[in-house]
Amino acid sequence: MTNFVKRYQFVYFDAGGGHRAAATALKTVIDKTVTDGGEGPREITLVNLQEVLHSLDIFRKTTGIRLEDIYNLMLAKGWTLGAAQGLRFMHGVTRLYHGAMVRLLARHWAETKPDLVVSLVPNFNRQMFESLRRASPQTPYVTILTDFADYPPHFWIERQNQYFVCGTPKAVEQARALGHPDGRIFRTSGMILRPDFYDPPEVDRATELGRLGLDPAKPTALVLFGGQGSNVMLEIAARLEETQLILICGKNESLASKLRARKHPGHNVQGFTTAIPYFMRLTDFFIGKPGPGSISEAVAMKLPVIVESNAWTLPQERYNAEWIKQQHVGEVLPNFRHIREAVDKMLGSLDQYREAVGGIRNRAVFEIPDILARIADQPVP
């Protein structure tokens, strides 16, 4: 009997780094599972939505800048106060170009003939779903939420006959509230993380901190604001003169230069790195934005978190701050002017925070391959 290869397409874009990271992590696990003989033949293709829609380039036509570049610039500069209004503008643009996007995407599906399409992006699920139904009505469509919750309307969850993979009870409730039956909603234990976050620690903490010029006897915080960094890290460093910090600036070379120019002996500054698990193994707690990836990575590495949530917080990330409070895994500040008090509070109750963080078991990246295999073998809903 012939084993037919199931062709999956994972759709991502580079607005932020989490969508590509989630798609890549999931592909890595599925490829390994197939290689080890634990699953039938699967061929995983990563599809950059921006590249598929390149000929339209709708946001460059409207604003002069690509959507991904707009988003990443907002994060690096902290220009997020009007993000909710920006989302409404973006939805208006996608409505204007809806027909053209559907036609272009339908052509892509017709040419590549996927057996399963998996979206790891928000905002474009209506266009992708409708185009897939036009080109290949029997191909299942799945949206994996890479946020803790939806930010309706028309962000992650649409009213259409598809499947959803949700990492929190809140997201499951939201899918149900829009009329989706339980048979089309799959719950995982959290967000997708790279497999190396689950590797056993192989570093000598004291030795490695010493190699970085830091004191192994002092509590150390990891300061991280995603791949683009954030200028708020300058304020945090200034307010935490007495706290030992590892500050990871991502691709923001200007920020890294400014932090290094301070020449603080207890502040180690790093640029872009993929070795986040390594640095998390050296630290005691996490300071950053309430992004789903950063929070999930920190919690997986048993680090309590300190974040801020206010009008500048991206609207789709505000529930994440509520989740932190509900799970008792960290502190949520109105702004980082209060960071000194939050650090003192955390260090005074570090054992309690660690106990709460240690009770969370996120295995989503290992749970989803089986979910996708089951969906790929089911008829379209």
Side-chain angles (χ1 to χ4, degrees):
M1 181 177 179
T2 303
N3 286 325
F4 292 101
V5 175
K6 291 280 188 178
R7 297 182 299 273
Y8 295 179
Q9 292 194 16
F10 292 172
V11 184
Y12 72 94
F13 53 32
D14 285 320
H19 308 288
R20 180 195 285 266
T24 303
L26 198 53
K27 181 181 187 304
T28 299
V29 171
I30 293 176
D31 286 346
K32 185 177 188 307
T33 302
V34 171
T35 301
D36 292 346
E39 192 173 291
R42 313 282 167 178
E43 179 183 282
I44 313 298
T45 303
L46 302 185
V47 178
N48 187 331
L49 182 63
Q50 183 77 34
E51 292 178 0
V52 177
L53 298 176
H54 176 72
S55 63
L56 284 178
D57 209 2
I58 58 177
F59 291 97
R60 187 189 291 270
K61 290 177 182 177
T62 308
T63 67
I65 308 175
R66 294 190 315 163
L67 173 63
E68 295 170 351
D69 297 333
I70 294 171
Y71 184 85
N72 292 330
L73 183 64
M74 285 170 52
L75 295 183
K77 298 294 186 181
W79 299 338
T80 51
L81 181 60
Q85 290 76 18
L87 274 175
R88 285 195 284 272
F89 166 76
M90 185 179 67
H91 289 161
V93 173
T94 55
R95 283 196 299 271
L96 181 65
Y97 286 89
H98 177 83
M101 284 193 286
V102 168
R103 288 191 293 274
L104 196 57
L105 285 162
R107 188 183 313 151
H108 169 79
W109 309 131
E111 291 173 352
T112 57
K113 296 179 170 54
D115 297 302
L116 180 71
V117 174
V118 180
S119 165
L120 294 107
V121 302
N123 299 309
F124 296 92
N125 284 291
R126 181 176 164 224
Q127 290 79 17
M128 286 195 284
F129 174 82
E130 290 187 12
S131 61
L132 183 64
R133 283 293 163 271
R134 179 179 296 187
S136 181
Q138 297 307 307
T139 301
Y141 184 82
V142 186
T143 298
I144 301 177
L145 279 70
T146 63
D147 282 306
F148 283 40
D150 191 18
Y151 182 70
H154 307 302
F155 195 72
W156 281 108
I157 304 173
E158 297 280 5
R159 294 180 185 272
Q160 51 198 30
N161 293 330
Q162 61 155 105
Y163 297 96
F164 298 92
V165 178
C166 304
T168 65
K170 173 73 172 179
V172 170
E173 292 170 8
Q174 291 174 309
R176 287 173 178 159
L178 282 179
H180 295 287
D182 288 345
R184 294 207 298 264
I185 305 169
F186 295 85
R187 165 77 200 282
T188 63
S189 54
M191 301 292 105
I192 296 172
L193 299 178
R194 288 180 358 219
D196 54 345
F197 280 93
Y198 300 90
D199 293 341
E202 296 180 355
V203 298
D204 183 296
R205 185 176 184 271
T207 299
E208 294 302 308
L209 284 173
R211 190 177 65 81
L212 295 174
L214 301 175
D215 185 348
K218 290 184 177 180
T220 305
L222 180 70
V223 184
L224 172 64
F225 282 77
Q228 305 301 319
S230 171
N231 287 331
V232 76
M233 293 170 69
L234 293 166
E235 177 185 354
I236 291 170
R239 292 182 181 277
L240 296 180
E241 290 280 350
E242 299 175 6
T243 304
Q244 192 158 265
L245 306 175
I246 297 175
L247 301 111
I248 299 181
C249 302
K251 298 176 182 178
N252 195 330
E253 296 178 5
S254 173
L255 171 63
S257 296
K258 291 175 183 176
L259 286 167
R260 290 189 182 112
R262 300 179 71 252
K263 299 185 184 300
H264 190 294
H267 291 178
N268 180 275
V269 180
Q270 299 286 327
F272 178 78
T273 177
T274 59
I276 301 302
Y278 163 78
F279 288 106
M280 286 188 167
R281 289 187 177 103
L282 305 184
T283 51
D284 298 281
F285 59 99
F286 170 90
I287 300 172
K289 71 185 187 77
S294 297
I295 293 172
S296 298
E297 289 170 359
V299 170
M301 302 301 289
K302 312 307 177 191
L303 300 183
V305 302
I306 299 176
V307 303
E308 70 172 0
S309 181
N310 51 40
W312 279 265
T313 302
L314 291 172
Q316 68 269 27
E317 295 183 350
R318 291 172 189 168
Y319 172 75
N320 304 350
E322 294 301 314
W323 182 89
I324 289 169
K325 291 187 281 189
Q326 292 167 5
Q327 302 296 323
H328 308 290
V329 295
E331 290 293 315
V332 178
L333 308 178
N335 55 68
F336 282 114
R337 289 195 298 272
H338 303 278
I339 187 64
R340 176 74 269 165
E341 299 95 312
V343 167
D344 290 343
K345 181 179 179 182
M346 178 156 288
L347 292 178
S349 304
L350 197 55
D351 288 343
Q352 290 92 319
Y353 285 113
R354 284 173 171 165
E355 183 179 358
V357 170
I360 295 175
R361 300 282 189 273
N362 172 14
R363 303 283 298 174
V365 74
F366 305 110
E367 297 162 353
I368 293 174
D370 181 61
I371 292 171
L372 296 182
R374 288 156 58 193
I375 292 172
D377 294 333
Q378 292 180 7
V380 172

